[in-house]
Amino acid sequence: MSHVPTPAEAREILKKYNRENFHLQHAETVAKVMRELSKKYDPGQEDYWEAVGVLHDIDFELYPEEHCKKAPELLRENDVDEGVIRAVVSHGWGLCSDVKPERMMEKVLFATDELTGLIGAAALMRPTGMSDMEPKSVIKKFKDRGFAAGCSRDVIRQGAELMGVELNDLIAMTLEAMKA
């Protein structure tokens, strides 16, 4: 019988397939943002959103060429709920998956996954890190195509559109969630 894992269970599942600190840290960052934004978009579902954030890149470290394709198999091996699996696969929509984000939680994951990378990279460039970072600093880095070139601006823009929010608002919300 499949189930929705708690955030703690999700971390145990993730660690079966991921060892690199970078991947574990990215999972934690996305999970934290998902938890914070669930309070606004789906109150009472914080644990669910956080668990999805933890698991979203479960297959990336071992199977980068099969990202979002290997995840369902790994998650089913761990009796993870199909709703969680769908959310995980949908975050790769248009890149490595044809599953479109439909629930707000899926849209938030799609929108913030790349954005957390951009904000994290911007924070590394500052002596004070993220603590006093303003959305306008992130927007400036967003417009600089050469900065954190691996973070897809198109995906971030598309995510904001899917969520029905302005890009600047998405950046501000994600930054605040990362600071929380």
Side-chain angles (χ1 to χ4, degrees):
M1 184 76 185
S2 69
H3 77 292
V4 174
T6 64
E9 290 168 336
R11 285 177 179 86
E12 289 309 307
I13 294 167
L14 178 72
K15 286 177 184 166
K16 289 182 185 180
Y17 310 99
N18 289 264
R19 301 266 183 276
E20 289 179 27
N21 198 41
F22 175 82
H23 292 128
L24 298 173
Q25 189 55 55
H26 174 66
E28 284 304 318
T29 301
V30 172
K32 179 180 184 180
V33 168
M34 291 296 288
R35 181 171 197 86
E36 283 303 307
L37 294 182
S38 72
K39 294 171 186 174
K40 174 183 173 108
Y41 290 109
D42 198 8
Q45 294 299 313
E46 292 86 352
D47 284 355
Y48 181 61
W49 283 47
E50 182 179 348
V52 168
V54 168
L55 294 170
H56 83 283
D57 276 347
I58 190 165
D59 60 0
F60 192 78
E61 187 174 315
L62 292 178
Y63 307 100
E65 300 303 313
E66 296 176 80
H67 185 39
C68 293
K69 298 195 178 16
K70 199 77 172 155
E73 179 187 324
L74 302 180
L75 293 168
R76 286 184 187 115
E77 281 174 14
N78 291 279
D79 298 316
V80 173
D81 175 74
E82 289 298 319
V84 173
I85 294 171
R86 185 192 193 292
V88 165
V89 172
S90 77
H91 95 275
W93 179 58
L95 301 169
C96 54
S97 160
D98 54 8
V99 177
K100 184 177 181 179
E102 288 172 2
R103 294 177 290 164
M104 183 52 90
M105 182 257 298
E106 295 168 347
K107 294 173 183 180
V108 169
L109 177 61
F110 178 82
T112 60
D113 180 31
E114 293 285 309
L115 185 51
T116 60
L118 183 80
I119 293 171
L124 291 174
M125 306 299 291
R126 301 166 56 88
T128 55
M130 200 177 299
S131 62
D132 63 347
M133 188 186 294
E134 294 290 326
K136 66 179 188 248
S137 305
V138 179
I139 292 161
K140 189 175 168 189
K141 294 293 187 195
F142 181 90
K143 290 176 179 170
D144 176 358
R145 289 266 173 207
F147 180 79
C151 298
S152 170
R153 273 63 168 176
D154 292 340
V155 166
I156 296 168
R157 267 193 214 90
Q158 203 173 15
E161 213 171 280
L162 281 173
M163 286 175 64
V165 298
E166 293 296 321
L167 177 64
N168 293 2
D169 294 338
L170 174 64
I171 289 170
M173 277 191 295
T174 306
L175 179 59
E176 284 313 305
M178 287 175 75
K179 286 181 182 180

